Amino acid sequence: MFKPISLLCFAPAIILVAGLASCDKKDNPDTVAPQLRKSIDYAKLSDTTTYANFFVDNAGAKTVDLSNGANRLLMFRAINTYNGTAVGTGATLDANVLKNMFANTSSPYSGTLASLNTSGVQLRSVTASSLAAADAEKERQTIEAGFTAIATASKSVSATASEGKAGKLGTYLVDEKGIEYGQIIQKGLIGAFQLDYISNVLLSDKSLAADNTTLVAGKKYTQLEQNWDEIYGILTANPIYGAKATATSSGESFIGSYIWEYNKEDFPKIHPALLKGRAAIVNNDATTLKAQVAILRAAMEKAVANAALGYLGKWKTAGTNTAAAAHAMGEGLGFIYSLRYAKLNGGDAAFSDGILTNLIYSAPNGFWGLTNAKIDAASTAIKTKFNIAG
């Protein structure tokens, strides 16, 4: 973490050269030396401040580079789009294509996304990356098993699904157990990639202790600035997070969208927290930075937990609409899987796997064997774990 303020007070030469703030510990208890940029007045940040353009160095050059995060978000979107081609066009999916897209190997991206092949980033390496190596690899293989499952189900896309038979239920592709793997993969990556990498890796104490006093070689930013910028790029493709929201749409995607849908209270806090956190990094203000970290981590976990509950509820309200029930359960299962990355609330693999087993995996017919009692038991477990009333 940052060096203590006392170093400033006993190093006047450094203060003179760097033009740093005063040593008044009461006014700025976490100021450190050397501060690379001019301090930012937090009052100048607003809900309409554009993240990528606001932060500049003392010469006026932009210091924000969203490339790594944005490219990973594009990869996530590309996997989701490819999976959608099965029901959209009747295409048979190839699990190896999905694995190559996940690991960014064998130049899997084409057309307007071709530059991703040489971007130097991938999803696989950052998926479940807060976990020990063996556990992380296990979770990555779980995601890849989903690729195989959806590819197998896609071979039956022209059939009508029923208990024991893969195919389409309404507009949704499911396997013989009624599992919609497109949703499992999407919601699973929301947890294993977005939630885990942002919350448990990039916002971890280890990442927040990254170098903030020297520029990365050949770049305009420090490593700590780049860590924070990657969060922004993974969370949203919009210049201002949340600015496109309407009464009926978030204007965001993936976890950015579900914060709007399932955590309305915190949704408007996200962009200010992203801005203020970046400004706090410039100001070397650890106290303010940690406050923004707390906002972001809690908001994402709350959204994922509420989403899991919401889709369990939608299974119940779907009634005899089997297609709607299967779709709701596909989304719900993916979010329940993702609860293992909600570490602020004590989420882990044992917790989410236990719920998944009781709901689906212990029944030979999977989705077709669901009951109100199973749904209620899962909901109660989640509410208890996340201290959610109701």
Side-chain angles (χ1 to χ4, degrees), residues 128 131 139 191-192 195-196 200 301 337-343 347:
L131 305 180
E139 301 301 339
L195 175 59
D196 188 58
N200 302 325
E301 291 200 8
Y337 167 82
S338 290
L339 295 179
R340 72 192 61 214
Y341 302 106
K343 294 186 176 180

Side-chain angles (χ1 to χ4, degrees), residues 195 255 258 262-263 298-312 332 335-336 338-339 342 345 351 378-379 382-383 385-388:
L195 175 59
I255 198 169
Y258 287 98
Y262 284 99
N263 188 1
M300 288 188 290
E301 291 200 8
K302 184 177 179 180
V304 171
N306 280 337
L309 290 172
Y311 285 107
L312 288 171
F335 278 119
I336 292 168
S338 290
L339 295 179
N345 288 279
F351 173 72
S379 296
I382 295 168
K383 288 177 181 177
K385 187 76 168 179
F386 289 84
N387 195 27
I388 296 173

Side-chain angles (χ1 to χ4, degrees), residues 7-256:
L7 292 179
L8 258 182
C9 300
F10 293 100
I14 295 175
I15 297 173
L16 181 62
V17 172
L20 297 176
S22 77
C23 293
D24 190 335
K25 189 171 183 178
K26 180 179 179 181
D27 293 340
N28 196 359
D30 294 301
T31 299
V32 298
Q35 185 167 317
L36 196 62
R37 322 280 190 205
K38 296 176 182 175
S39 292
I40 293 175
D41 181 355
Y42 297 124
K44 292 183 177 179
L45 303 173
S46 75
D47 290 346
T48 59
T49 299
T50 303
Y51 183 95
N53 296 331
F54 182 82
F55 300 99
V56 296
D57 63 18
N58 292 349
K62 293 181 182 179
T63 61
V64 172
D65 184 347
L66 302 177
S67 299
N68 286 344
N71 285 334
R72 286 191 165 108
L73 183 61
L74 285 172
M75 291 173 182
F76 187 5
R77 184 168 294 154
I79 287 174
N80 196 57
T81 299
Y82 178 75
N83 283 340
T85 61
V87 293
T89 68
T92 298
L93 304 179
D94 186 335
N96 288 324
V97 170
L98 285 163
K99 290 178 182 178
N100 288 337
M101 295 171 80
F102 188 44
N104 196 13
T105 55
S106 303
S107 299
Y109 301 101
S110 60
T112 58
L113 297 179
S115 62
L116 293 177
N117 297 324
T118 55
S119 64
V121 298
Q122 57 171 281
L123 293 185
R124 195 181 196 283
S125 63
V126 297
T127 293
S129 52
S130 75
L131 305 180
D135 293 333
E137 179 59 23
K138 179 182 178 182
E139 301 301 339
R140 292 162 187 160
Q141 291 180 9
T142 294
I143 297 293
E144 290 172 333
F147 298 158
T148 300
I150 194 172
T152 300
S154 71
K155 296 176 182 177
S156 303
V157 71
S158 60
T160 299
S162 59
E163 185 171 347
K165 183 179 179 181
K168 286 173 65 177
L169 276 178
T171 58
Y172 309 118
L173 175 66
V174 301
D175 72 357
E176 69 279 5
K177 293 186 177 181
I179 307 299
E180 189 186 7
Y181 273 95
Q183 290 301 324
I184 299 287
I185 293 166
Q186 182 192 117
K187 273 56 182 183
L189 282 174
I190 282 176
F193 161 49
Q194 289 187 305
L195 175 59
D196 188 58
Y197 187 47
I198 291 175
S199 184
N200 302 325
V201 177
L202 294 175
L203 294 180
S204 68
D205 287 345
K206 180 179 179 180
S207 289
L208 294 174
D211 184 9
N212 196 38
T213 61
T214 57
L215 298 181
V216 174
K219 304 296 183 182
K220 297 289 188 183
Y221 50 73
T222 67
Q223 186 57 57
L224 183 55
E225 289 173 329
Q226 171 57 195
N227 289 351
W228 198 267
D229 293 345
E230 186 167 7
I231 292 169
Y232 192 96
I234 291 172
L235 194 59
T236 180
N238 292 322
I240 300 172
Y241 174 84
K244 293 184 177 179
T246 67
T248 57
S249 172
S250 67
E252 300 292 342
S253 61
F254 304 124
I255 198 169

Side-chain angles (χ1 to χ4, degrees), residues 46-47 228 235 241-242 259-260 263-277 291-300 302:
S46 75
D47 290 346
W228 198 267
L235 194 59
Y241 174 84
I259 295 172
W260 172 83
N263 188 1
K264 286 286 197 297
E265 178 183 3
D266 289 333
F267 180 70
K269 301 176 184 176
I270 301 301
H271 192 68
L274 290 167
L275 288 172
K276 200 167 184 178
Q292 311 320 304
V293 169
I295 291 170
L296 295 170
R297 295 191 70 187
M300 288 188 290
K302 184 177 179 180

Side-chain angles (χ1 to χ4, degrees), residues 320-331:
T320 59
N321 186 338
T322 307
H327 182 61
M329 189 46 51
E331 298 205 58

